[in-house]
Amino acid sequence: MNRSAPTLALMLFLAACSGGGGGGVVSPTPSPTPSPTATGQVTIKITPAAAQVAANGNQQFACAVTGDIDTRCGWSVQEANGGSVSIAGLYVAPEMAGTYHVIAKSLADPSKTATATVAVTLPGVARPWVTAYYLGYFWDNMYPPEKVDMTALTHFVFGRVAPGGGTLHGAPGAVVEGAGTAHEAKLSPDGVRSVEDYLVKRTHDAGRKALLMLGGAADGDGFLLSTSDAVRPVFVRNIADYMVAHDYDGLDLDWEDKFEGSDDITPHVSGDEAKRRVFALIADLRAEFAKRPRYQGAGKAALLTLPGYTVSINDLEPGGKVPQWQADLANAVDQYNMMSYGIGTTWSGNGWLSWFSSPIFGATGKTPRDLASSVEAYAKTGVPRSKIGIGIGFYGIYFGPGVTGPRQDTEANRIFEVDDVALRYSELVRMGYLTNGTYHWDAEAQVGYRSYAGGGYTPAGSGRNKAGFLSFENEQSIAAKAAWVREAGLGGTILWAINYDYLPNGTSPLLGAVKKEFAPVAP
């Protein structure tokens, strides 16, 4: 059963990776951009100049042309069987290992070219990425910054900043701080840095990559306002300035909604224009990063990740594919991570049966989302599996007492709790959700759950709605996901959010399970 448009819009609005907090606006005064003039001395540069790519993997290249008004580039691969490169500079490696060459040619002066060397390697026994969100606005009451186990991660994402004109207000084109006091100097455990800068340094000290979360649920209008052709150059410079100032290795672009356009801003933005703007933003960010010394040199190119969505098997294109623009968006970034937790895969009413947060298998017409079918749909539309990550939510969701397990009718259900903060794992432990009811393992979906018979469960004195069926992650489901990620050849996983897992005794059970199960394995 297809969701109605209003229901789907609400689902996307509530999708995890929500932002919060407050803060000031970072908005350097823009300076006019001089118009280039032809000089006859055309030069061209390709970034990165060297890259290592897994077989069938991909690498985004950027070119910079100076000396002519026309700064466009043409792209090609020197070797006949050396892979392919798109008009936007996205290189897709061949199946065979070897050394290949990507060539950028100035369209203004075709005699001017630049070449990048690409070493294509066969896939080994590598660690999948673990890209984990830390919500800076909770730094002083959830997971102290000095306790974060950076060795459990590959990529640390600090949340967050937002585009001006979005949920945190500010002028379009600004980068608005959204992590409250985490941005303030001298509040970190070292007494010198901000919590933000302290965590970035801890990430680097552990040999991991630090990413900046930009945006979040309901920031679509802010992105649209900040990416008009008139404003986008300032926005891109402000983003790069912020990243360099805080020593980030990359950007997590959380543009999650309003791809269908918006009537809530003036002038109206159509769906086609919204999609054009997100691709223009990505291209301009790549080009701007390539100009910055911080992101030049081997292994220093800025990473770009983006959280996307699972897809309903009821809404696929012919051939079981996703809409082409969604595949193109996934291919335009370095990691495309599906927000499969919570309402990213389940719903109540509107034709749905009760279902799980982030199930691997089991999608049907009335439980239409799971990881396997979504990955397959993206893969059929040309997205390498190695570029796709799946979601693990460190929180639960529950249905009311009339629903006591999966695959039950939800039309009469009036309780559907999906608040990630209220139902974070540490709260599930503290309020007895995980010690009451009966634990079950669903062998098909590869997810555990608790059932509360006899009228449901609610913590004494909490005033909360009663729970009948609670879906949540635990050590067993994390082990299943890690095994499947490797088996399916996927890139890795995202965690939302590691603040939610920290218990008063100083342990982090879910993060500990991720660290164990996603660690490199012996060949």
Side-chain angles (χ1 to χ4, degrees), residues 330-347:
N331 277 326
V333 296
D334 301 308
Q335 294 181 15
Y336 185 76
N337 293 302
M338 292 190 297
M339 298 180 289
S340 52
Y341 27 69
I343 58 174
T345 50
T346 189
W347 198 249

Side-chain angles (χ1 to χ4, degrees), residues 275-348:
K275 295 175 183 65
R276 185 193 73 83
R277 290 187 187 186
V278 69
F279 285 104
L281 174 62
I282 290 171
D284 288 356
L285 284 169
R286 295 282 195 191
E288 184 67 24
F289 293 154
K291 298 176 185 177
R292 304 298 180 104
R294 169 64 177 81
Y295 303 116
Q296 296 172 356
K300 295 179 66 177
L303 296 170
L304 193 57
T305 67
L306 189 144
Y309 302 109
T310 60
V311 291
S312 168
I313 62 173
N314 297 328
D315 299 330
L316 296 178
E317 301 285 306
K321 298 180 178 182
V322 301
Q324 187 61 52
W325 77 268
Q326 287 183 235
D328 292 343
L329 185 60
N331 277 326
V333 296
D334 301 308
Q335 294 181 15
Y336 185 76
N337 293 302
M338 292 190 297
M339 298 180 289
S340 52
Y341 27 69
I343 58 174
T345 50
T346 189
W347 198 249
S348 179

Side-chain angles (χ1 to χ4, degrees), residues 30-42:
S31 56
T33 302
S35 300
T37 57
T39 67
Q41 300 298 320
V42 173

Side-chain angles (χ1 to χ4, degrees), residues 44-45 62-65 70-75 87-88 104-108:
I44 184 171
K45 180 179 180 181
C63 70
V65 174
D70 188 350
T71 60
R72 295 175 299 160
C73 295
W75 295 93
I87 59 173
K105 177 188 296 185
S106 167
L107 296 187

Side-chain angles (χ1 to χ4, degrees), residues 185-253:
K186 301 183 179 181
L187 293 184
S188 71
D190 65 13
V192 177
R193 297 173 177 83
S194 66
V195 169
E196 178 182 14
D197 291 342
Y198 172 84
L199 285 165
V200 170
K201 183 178 186 302
R202 285 206 60 220
T203 303
H204 291 156
D205 289 346
R208 272 56 176 173
K209 298 290 188 180
L211 308 179
L212 173 66
M213 176 185 172
L214 172 66
D219 265 323
D221 282 339
F223 277 113
L224 291 176
L225 290 168
S226 295
T227 55
S228 67
D229 290 344
V231 178
R232 190 173 62 252
V234 175
F235 187 44
V236 167
R237 289 197 299 271
N238 287 345
I239 293 168
D241 286 346
Y242 191 99
M243 290 173 58
V244 170
H246 296 279
D247 202 23
Y248 281 105
D249 301 291
L251 182 72
D252 184 64
L253 182 62

Side-chain angles (χ1 to χ4, degrees), residues 12-106:
L12 299 184
F13 174 80
L14 293 173
C17 275
S18 56
V25 176
V26 179
S27 181
T29 302
S31 56
T33 302
S35 300
T37 57
T39 67
Q41 300 298 320
V42 173
T43 63
I44 184 171
K45 180 179 180 181
I46 189 171
T47 305
Q52 180 172 304
V53 184
N56 294 313
N58 52 69
Q59 170 70 46
Q60 180 70 51
F61 288 94
C63 70
V65 174
T66 60
D68 195 275
I69 294 174
D70 188 350
T71 60
R72 295 175 299 160
C73 295
W75 295 93
S76 62
V77 179
Q78 179 174 301
E79 293 76 17
N81 298 312
S84 63
V85 63
S86 73
I87 59 173
L90 180 69
Y91 172 74
V92 179
E95 293 183 355
M96 298 296 294
T99 301
Y100 305 100
H101 301 87
V102 174
I103 300 172
K105 177 188 296 185
S106 167

